[in-house]
Structures are given as structure tokens and as C-alpha cells.
Amino acid sequence: MNFGLKFRLTALVLVMVLIGALIALVTINFERQEAELRSRLNQLESESYSISEQFKDRLRGVSDRLMRYRTEPTEANWREFLIAGHSLESWIDSQDKAHNTKHEQDILQQIDAAFDSYLDNVQALRAASVSSAETNNLLLVPSSATTQAYRRVSDMGQELAAAHLDLQSQILSNAQNALLQLRVSVLSLLGLLFLFGVALAMMVYRDMITPLQIRLLESEALAERREKLAALGLLAAGVAHEIRNPLTAIKAALFIQKKKLLAGSPERDDVDAVEREIVRLERIVNDFLQFARPAEPEFTVISADLLLLEARMFCAPQMERSNIEMILEPCEPMQVRADPAQCKQVLINLIQNAADSIGQNGKITLRARADRKSFGNGDQPVVILEVSDTGKGIPPEVRKRLFDPFFTTKDNGTGLGLSIAARIVQKHGGELQYQTEVNRGTTFGIILPRIIE
Ligand code: ADP
């Protein structure tokens, strides 16, 4: 797994854990608030109920004392009436603390005022009765002012309970709003968590499962190709071996004949043509043999630029004839563990293909650059030997079969160059890669493990 992918996966998982923790926190908060609200509502309900009940009881108490005084107008009964009245007054004052809303405070003040006026009324009536010596008469027939004051106090008591209940419904609706907001937050967080989960699944699928599937398909195709090649190689090796011996004999006989013929004579031209074809046949047979029985590399530690330099020297005369400029880019000193002869062979093959693609007049650039590459056992430093050309590029239909043995687009090609090159590079623990653009050119790269001293 590369660093970027690891980083993205870790970041995503962290974000998901964070969202999960947030959801847990919000849910805990949600439950706490709900419990608090429930108990507050219960408390309010019982408070409202007890307030109206207490008020009614006390008011009834005052009224009962007055009744008793009317029927039995003794000083003791009058005092009891006054005590009940004062007790209700101080109860009203004490409610100040329990009732905090403006509305409740207003009602309490009104109750206070109404009860005061009720008491004043009753006291005035009693005073009038005492002075006119008609003690009972006046209090026995309650004045409309006293009755009104009493009713007003009683109504106010109901209003106070209703105001308290109002507060309850206000708290309830506030709490409902808060809970709704909490619910929306939880749902949004869950949605976010779901989205991140989907992103994580997609990332895992795209960056981890898909490459594995591709690698599996590739290795299946490779195994199949190897099997085919093994069978084909065996056959080719047998045939090539049989052809090589007679070819050597023909070549030797031709050499003797050539010596007997005059240069420029038609016979000599024919012999030259036969000789050229024999050389071609020899090349094909040698390619076959090498393909069928690849030699094991003999490793030494060698500098990358030396490999490029030698390949360039070998190809320079041919490139000059085709007016192809060969550039060797300067590079930092880098060592590779390789079989110099085999690597040179691969480089020459790539240069030859580049030259074939250019035809006449163009440029081939050779360079070595340092990089890092993962070969299944983690990231490791590599050197990439590159051959860039300004040729025709490789069209998509050719790309598909580029490394197939015997696949060629050339009249005199064997189609074995790239498959042999790829196999040699693989035996070096490396890889052969390419980038191409039709009508712009191609860059082949030989990736070799770098030796760092
Ligand atoms: P051969 O050179 O005998 O055809 P190769 O295996 O070396 O066999 O190459 C196979 C085919 O790949 C070539 O016929 C050619 O079509 C294509 N090819 C290889 N190298 C290049 C290149 N640098 N530019 C364009 N086409 C290329």
C-alpha cells in the first residue's frame, strides 16, 4: 500500500471515528435533555396543581372564618379571620420566588392588591358595624364590594395556575424545538457517516481491490503466456538447431564460391544476395534460440551511464547513415547489478526499434534517472534506463500485442526483440515500461534495482 493511499484511508477512518463519537455525544446529550425535560414538566404540572389547590384551600379558610364570625361575632373568631387573612397574604408574598415569569408576577401583584382590598372591605364593614352597634347586620349581608373583591381574588388564583401552566407549555415547545434540532443534527451526522462510509468503501475497492483483480488477471494471462511460450520455445529450439548446422555449411561453401567470382559480375551479385539472406536467416535462428533457451544473467555491479555509452557507441555508425542524432543525457553516477552483455543487447534492441520507427532524420535520447518503484516487496530505489525517440509512436492496436512473441509490423522483423528484452529485464528483477504518443514518439524504460553504496 503506498503512502498516499495509507494517508487517505487513515484520514477517512479518523473522520468516521470522529463523526461516530460526535453522534454518541449528541445522543447522550439528547437523552439527558429529554430526561431533564420530563422531570421539569412533571414538577411544573404538580406545582401548578398544588398552587391552585393551596390557594383555593387558603381562600376557603379565610371565607370560612368570616362565615364563623358572622354567625358568632366574637373577638376570638374575628382574630382567627385576621390570622387566616394574614397567613394568605404572606403565602401570596412567598409565591414571588416560585413564580418567575413577568405574567405570573403581574398576576401575583393583582392577587395581592385584590386580597388587600377584600380585607380592607371586610375590616371597614366590621368597623362600621361596631360603631353603629349593628355588629352582625352589616357583615351578615355581604356588600357587593366585598363579594366582588372576593370573586376577583378567587379568579386571580385560577389565572395564576393557568399562567403557571402556560409556562409549562412554553417550556415544552422550547424543548421540542431543541429536541428537533438535536434530531436533525443526529440525522445529518448519520448521513455524513454514511457518505464517508461509501467513500471509504469506494476507495478500498478502487485502490486496493481493483489493482489486486487486475494483478490477478495479469498473472493469469502471464502464466498462460508462459505455458504457450514454453511449448513454442521447445519447438523453435529444435527447428532452429536443425537449421543452424546446414546454414553454417552453406555459408562456408558460399564463401569459397564468392572468392572464385569476379566483383561486379551477375553471379557475384547473386552470391551477395544469397549471403545477405543467410545472415538474415542466421539472425532469426539466433533470436529463436535465445528466445527458447534464454541464458542466465551473469551479474556484476556496473554504472548505468557506462551501459548507455557502450550501446550508443555500438549503434552510432548505423544511426549516422540514417541521419538520426543520438543524444546521451548527462546523469548522476548510479550503480546497478546487471549482466552488461544482456543489458547492452536490450538497449541495442530498443535503439534499433526506435530507429526503425523514425526511419530517416530524427532524434534518439538515452538517459538514466533515479526513481523508486514497488515490486511487490515494498518500495525500492531503481535506475531507469530510457530510450526516447521522435518516431511514429505505437498505435493502440499494436500496443495490445507489443510483447507477444513473433508479433511484428516490419517486413524483416522477427517479433522477438521486445519479448526477449522483457524477459531479460525480468530476470534482472526489473521491468520494461513504455510511454508512447502516436506521431510524437515513444520512450521505453528499463527499470533495474539500484545499488546504493
Ligand atoms: P521486431 O522489431 O522484430 O518487429 P519487436 O518485438 O522488437 O520485434 O517489436 C515488436 C513491434 O513493436 C514492432 O514491430 C513495432 O511495430 C513495435 N515497436 C517496438 N518499438 C517501437 C518504437 N520505438 N516505436 C514504434 N513501434 C515500436
Side-chain angles (χ1 to χ4, degrees):
M1 216 194 298
N2 63 31
F3 177 74
L5 178 61
K6 246 188 219 166
F7 178 75
R8 273 181 291 151
L9 277 177
T10 319
L12 252 179
V13 170
L14 273 179
V15 170
M16 285 178 70
V17 169
L18 218 84
I19 295 177
L22 227 79
I23 290 178
L25 246 152
V26 171
T27 314
I28 291 169
N29 198 19
F30 181 89
E31 274 175 10
R32 219 191 51 222
Q33 285 207 20
E34 209 182 17
E36 253 175 40
L37 174 72
R38 215 172 288 136
S39 79
R40 177 95 180 96
L41 287 178
N42 286 342
Q43 189 192 338
L44 274 172
E45 211 165 337
S46 62
E47 266 176 21
S48 316
Y49 180 74
S50 71
I51 284 162
S52 73
E53 286 307 299
Q54 276 178 35
F55 185 73
K56 270 189 225 156
D57 283 353
R58 282 165 190 271
L59 195 59
R60 215 176 291 123
V62 174
S63 161
D64 288 352
R65 300 293 189 291
L66 188 61
M67 290 291 275
R68 204 176 297 159
Y69 178 73
R70 275 185 195 139
T71 49
E72 204 181 319
T74 62
E75 260 317 298
N77 281 346
W78 178 246
R79 243 195 330 276
E80 276 203 24
F81 165 74
L82 285 181
I83 290 170
H86 290 312
S87 150
L88 181 53
E89 256 186 335
S90 48
W91 181 86
I92 292 169
D93 291 342
S94 74
Q95 291 309 303
D96 257 14
K97 288 180 205 92
H99 300 80
N100 306 334
T101 65
K102 172 95 182 63
H103 188 43
E104 285 176 324
Q105 303 279 351
D106 286 350
I107 296 171
L108 274 169
Q109 273 173 16
Q110 286 174 35
I111 288 178
D112 208 9
F115 189 65
D116 281 351
S117 105
Y118 166 74
L119 278 183
D120 289 351
N121 237 295
V122 174
Q123 276 171 325
L125 272 178
R126 188 197 177 239
S129 303
V130 169
S131 63
S132 65
E134 290 176 47
T135 316
N136 288 331
N137 288 349
L138 283 175
L139 277 171
L140 263 175
V141 184
S143 72
S144 67
T146 315
T147 318
Q148 261 181 15
Y150 181 82
R151 270 208 200 115
R152 206 167 137 64
V153 175
S154 166
D155 290 352
M156 290 275 112
Q158 300 290 349
E159 258 185 65
L160 183 65
H164 210 64
L165 274 171
D166 263 3
L167 175 67
Q168 178 185 353
S169 54
Q170 198 183 323
I171 289 178
L172 188 68
S173 93
N174 284 352
Q176 270 169 347
N177 281 345
L179 290 183
L180 188 77
Q181 275 173 13
L182 269 174
R183 210 165 279 152
V184 169
S185 327
V186 171
L187 282 179
S188 326
L189 284 171
L190 275 175
L192 258 178
L193 194 67
F194 176 74
L195 282 181
F196 276 103
V198 170
L200 185 72
M202 274 168 64
M203 195 188 287
V204 167
Y205 186 79
R206 197 193 58 200
D207 292 342
M208 290 170 78
I209 297 176
T210 311
L212 282 180
Q213 279 175 336
I214 293 173
R215 222 180 276 173
L216 186 71
L217 283 178
E218 277 175 358
S219 47
E220 274 173 8
L222 200 76
E224 202 181 313
R225 218 175 78 188
R226 278 205 187 126
E227 237 171 74
K228 271 193 208 160
L229 285 184
L232 201 73
L234 219 65
L235 182 75
V239 175
H241 202 72
E242 290 305 313
I243 293 172
R244 207 148 73 152
N245 292 341
L247 260 188
T248 317
I250 293 170
K251 213 173 153 190
L254 207 67
F255 183 70
I256 296 166
Q257 288 302 314
K258 197 175 158 181
K259 273 188 156 177
K260 290 182 194 162
L261 296 170
L262 274 175
S265 65
E267 291 81 5
R268 174 71 184 259
D269 287 349
D270 287 347
V271 169
D272 281 345
V274 173
E275 196 182 18
R276 275 198 302 278
E277 288 308 305
I278 287 173
V279 170
R280 198 165 94 83
L281 270 175
E282 260 183 343
R283 188 165 62 81
I284 294 170
V285 168
N286 282 340
D287 274 2
F288 269 6
L289 273 177
Q290 200 184 359
F291 176 70
R293 283 202 232 114
E296 283 304 312
E298 288 172 20
F299 290 110
T300 63
V301 174
I302 185 164
S303 75
D305 56 344
L306 190 65
L307 286 171
L308 292 176
L309 193 73
E310 284 186 5
R312 180 178 177 237
M313 267 165 52
F314 184 87
C315 299
Q318 189 201 337
M319 297 303 135
E320 255 172 52
R321 280 197 294 277
S322 310
N323 201 20
I324 292 173
E325 188 189 356
M326 267 226 287
I327 297 166
L328 176 55
E329 280 187 4
C331 65
E332 55 169 306
M334 286 176 287
Q335 307 277 338
V336 288
R337 189 171 159 272
D339 179 326
Q342 288 193 355
C343 281
K344 222 168 87 183
Q345 183 193 340
V346 174
L347 278 168
I348 291 168
N349 194 282
L350 296 181
I351 295 170
Q352 186 59 55
N353 278 347
D356 289 345
S357 175
I358 292 170
Q360 292 280 324
N361 309 320
K363 199 162 79 180
I364 295 175
T365 309
L366 307 180
R367 71 177 76 81
R369 60 184 179 86
D371 206 338
R372 295 191 73 81
K373 197 99 185 159
S374 71
F375 287 117
N377 54 343
D379 239 18
Q380 66 179 82
V382 293
V383 174
I384 307 183
L385 304 175
E386 285 185 340
V387 178
S388 280
D389 67 58
T390 54
K392 299 184 211 47
I394 309 174
E397 64 278 8
V398 176
R399 275 179 231 164
K400 281 187 225 147
R401 307 190 54 197
L402 203 60
F403 294 96
D404 282 359
F406 309 110
F407 171 77
T408 180
T409 56
K410 301 171 196 166
D411 292 340
N412 60 350
T414 62
L416 287 174
L418 283 181
S419 43
I420 291 174
R423 196 186 297 175
I424 289 175
V425 178
Q426 261 172 21
K427 284 202 177 239
H428 279 69
E431 239 174 61
L432 194 60
Q433 66 175 19
Y434 71 95
Q435 291 101 40
T436 187
E437 216 177 312
V438 176
N439 296 329
R440 297 292 295 267
T442 304
T443 298
F444 271 92
I446 306 168
I447 307 174
L448 295 173
R450 182 176 176 182
I451 305 284
I452 298 186
E453 287 166 346

